[in-house]
Amino acid sequence: MSSYDSISSQLDDAGEARSSGADKIAWARSHMPILAAIRERVENERPLEGWTVGMAMHVEAKTAVLTETLAAAGASVAITGCNPLSTHDDVSAALDAVDGVTCYAKRGVDESEYYAAIDAVIEAGPEVTIDDGGDLVFRLHEHYPERLSDVIGGCEETTTGVHRLRAMAADGALEYPMIAVNDTPMKQLFDNIHGTGESSLASIAMTTNLSWAGSTVVVAGYGHCGKGVAKKAAGQNARVIVTEVEPRRALEAHMEGFEVMPMVDAAAEGDLFLTTTGNRDVITLDVFREMQDGAVLANAGHFDIEIDLEGLAEYAVDSRAVRDGITAYRLPDGREVNVLAEGRLVNLATPVALGHAIEVMDQSFGVQAACAEELVANHGSYESGVHPVPDELDRHIAEIKLAAEGIEHDELSPTQREYLDRWDHGT
Ligand code: NAI
């Protein structure tokens, strides 16, 4: 039994929170046809009956629909957040009331509460883990090595988490199989690109009430997330500058019509800076020094280390909250720069943030649900290490979505299939 209380015992008015959270979950559920199709099947088949699933994810409405789907499949689920600012407390309370689910996530926790909640999930005895960023997997390995043999496998939702797992596997430190959900087409081509692009821009616009049209936006990183953000900002008539460290990605950005330059040169140009690198120290003191008065800084990468906030706090003479979710730092010469959501994931951590669009998360979470089932069904066949999502499973999720949208598509003919499999025919 955990010493950390579930969310329902932490809120003053849990009943009211549960009701508003349940409405948000119902709205999300009604726009998630993939999870609905999976739920309809697993409610009868109960493939996760008797298994315990531990989750550390952004606890908001779409995640709640994934969680209740796993519970409907028979799992006992313990869940907490994967970021101190991204939890919606009402959704968390409503989720805690679902049969088979215990939820520990709360918005605005400090570091010790954050890890106490992760510990509570671990103390529930997960046999399958579902992570967004890897904190649950790493905590298990570092602090609960005696429990690792109970875990048959896990799934990782995001790029940063997969990087961490690969680094662990390379060091021989990863003790169970992990499926890299992030890397599969049904996740990466939609969630990272369109999801991050749309939801980051929406959250920034709602938080600042400033226009994209006519502004200069500096996007750091031209990976999946950066491409989405750059494209959507250009679509809103912003001038977009891209910064990159990888030459082919820099060239790709150039060929797609964006200006490319070093961050230190972009510093004086940008009205708004958005980091999407999954790396640290992307915007540092040399950049702050060159920025225009009023520049806005936001991060869409997983951790709050892309903007050097410690360096900024030291350099600044003053800082103050100027609007919900915006902190202004006054620099020694009187200029101010504005940081959104304390440098945390801007599409999830501003007070108005809703995260990715529901349809996009239906795809990512459809893959998550299918992978949890796959790990339980075939756990004997996965060794410790990082594994791709099985391709047929990824395709199956795409087929469910296409059917739900009423979209038909062509099929390979037997002759075409044979042609593609052969190598012995030329001109
Ligand atoms: P990616 O690997 O496709 O792209 C990252 C890009 O950043 C690469 O092209 C890399 O060369 C570049 N980069 C690295 N260091 C840089 C630096 N110092 N300056 C400029 N560019 C640099 O990764 P992806 O999928 O785009 O993910 C990026 C981050 O976003 C990760 O932390 C990931 O976990 C997170 N993420 C956030 C989401 C959200 O909801 N906000 C959704 C999905 C991913």
Side-chain angles (χ1 to χ4, degrees):
M1 200 53 198
S2 160
S3 53
Y4 191 80
D5 287 334
S6 79
I7 180 79
S8 305
S9 341
Q10 296 189 46
L11 295 179
D12 292 338
D13 197 343
E16 195 178 316
R18 270 198 291 274
S19 144
S20 114
D23 288 348
K24 290 181 184 172
I25 297 171
W27 171 260
R29 193 189 299 120
S30 69
H31 293 85
M32 298 180 95
I34 300 173
L35 282 180
I38 292 175
R39 182 173 179 149
E40 198 179 327
R41 179 178 56 76
V42 298
E43 263 172 347
N44 294 320
E45 296 176 5
R46 307 277 287 178
L48 303 182
E49 187 79 61
W51 293 85
T52 301
V53 176
M55 302 170 71
M57 306 201 89
H58 302 291
V59 175
E60 45 73 67
K62 285 93 71 183
T63 309
V65 181
L66 168 63
T67 311
E68 62 180 24
T69 305
L70 299 173
S76 161
V77 187
I79 178 168
T80 184
C82 64
N83 181 302
L85 288 183
S86 65
T87 297
H88 292 217
D89 284 348
D90 54 353
V91 170
S92 184
L95 193 51
D96 193 43
V98 171
D99 259 3
V101 178
T102 311
C103 187
Y104 298 96
K106 188 158 181 268
R107 185 182 168 89
V109 286
D110 63 24
E111 196 173 313
S112 77
E113 292 168 310
Y114 177 79
Y115 281 106
I118 289 193
D119 289 345
V121 168
I122 294 172
E123 281 156 26
E127 293 148 310
V128 173
T129 61
I130 302 183
D131 241 305
D132 187 325
D135 282 348
L136 176 56
V137 172
F138 301 103
R139 189 77 175 174
L140 250 167
H141 279 74
E142 275 174 28
H143 293 266
Y144 297 86
E146 73 286 359
R147 289 183 182 256
L148 287 168
S149 57
D150 297 339
V151 184
I152 59 161
C155 307
E156 172 52 52
E157 171 77 5
T158 198
T159 314
T160 286
V162 171
H163 281 173
R164 294 175 82 188
L165 291 169
R166 292 224 160 89
M168 263 180 108
D171 281 350
L174 182 58
E175 296 285 342
Y176 61 85
M178 288 293 302
I179 298 185
V181 169
N182 176 73
D183 295 359
T184 206
M186 278 301 285
K187 198 272 179 184
Q188 202 166 44
L189 297 181
F190 305 96
D191 175 315
N192 297 34
I193 298 176
H194 297 284
T196 309
E198 284 185 13
S199 61
S200 298
L201 263 62
S203 176
I204 291 168
M206 293 294 291
T207 304
T208 63
N209 201 201
L210 296 172
S211 169
W212 296 102
S215 70
T216 297
V217 177
V218 178
V219 179
Y222 199 68
H224 295 89
C225 296
K227 279 175 197 169
V229 164
K231 186 172 180 184
K232 311 278 176 188
Q236 297 269 25
N237 296 348
R239 170 190 171 212
V240 176
I241 297 172
V242 168
T243 74
E244 248 299 344
V245 291
E246 214 287 328
R248 290 155 299 182
R249 291 259 168 99
L251 189 56
E252 200 183 352
H254 168 68
M255 295 290 273
E256 281 173 24
F258 299 113
E259 291 172 67
V260 179
M261 62 182 78
M263 177 59 84
V264 73
D265 295 338
E269 304 276 329
D271 299 305
L272 185 136
F273 296 75
L274 184 52
T275 52
T276 67
T277 70
N279 204 345
R280 58 175 307 139
D281 304 332
V282 178
I283 301 188
T284 46
L285 195 51
D286 50 342
V287 184
F288 300 133
R289 283 202 177 104
E290 303 300 324
M291 281 181 173
Q292 301 178 47
D293 185 30
V296 174
L297 282 69
N299 167 47
H302 190 76
F303 287 120
D304 60 342
I305 53 175
E306 304 214 8
I307 303 166
D308 176 15
L309 288 177
E310 277 178 29
L312 180 58
E314 266 173 41
Y315 179 54
V317 292
D318 183 30
S319 71
R320 66 193 204 289
V322 282
R323 201 177 143 93
D324 247 8
I326 309 181
T327 308
Y329 291 81
R330 194 151 54 84
L331 307 184
D333 64 2
R335 279 174 302 140
E336 283 192 332
V337 298
N338 301 292
V339 176
L340 306 194
E342 301 171 24
R344 294 193 182 274
L345 288 163
V346 72
N347 57 329
L348 284 150
T350 66
V352 293
L354 294 172
H356 290 6
I358 298 171
E359 298 94 320
V360 166
M361 292 318 295
D362 189 31
Q363 297 185 185
S364 303
F365 287 164
V367 177
Q368 285 283 9
C371 286
E373 203 179 330
E374 164 70 13
L375 282 168
V376 166
N378 294 313
H379 59 91
S381 52
Y382 288 94
E383 297 190 345
S384 298
V386 182
H387 299 266
V389 173
D391 195 53
E392 67 281 5
L393 197 154
D394 196 61
R395 289 174 67 97
H396 177 60
I397 300 297
E399 297 290 5
I400 300 179
K401 175 71 176 183
L402 287 166
E405 298 273 320
I407 298 170
E408 295 182 13
H409 64 96
D410 290 328
E411 302 267 348
L412 287 173
S413 69
T415 322
Q416 287 173 328
R417 195 178 296 280
E418 196 211 337
Y419 173 82
L420 292 173
D421 284 344
R422 287 176 58 171
W423 55 270
D424 59 345
H425 41 61
T427 39

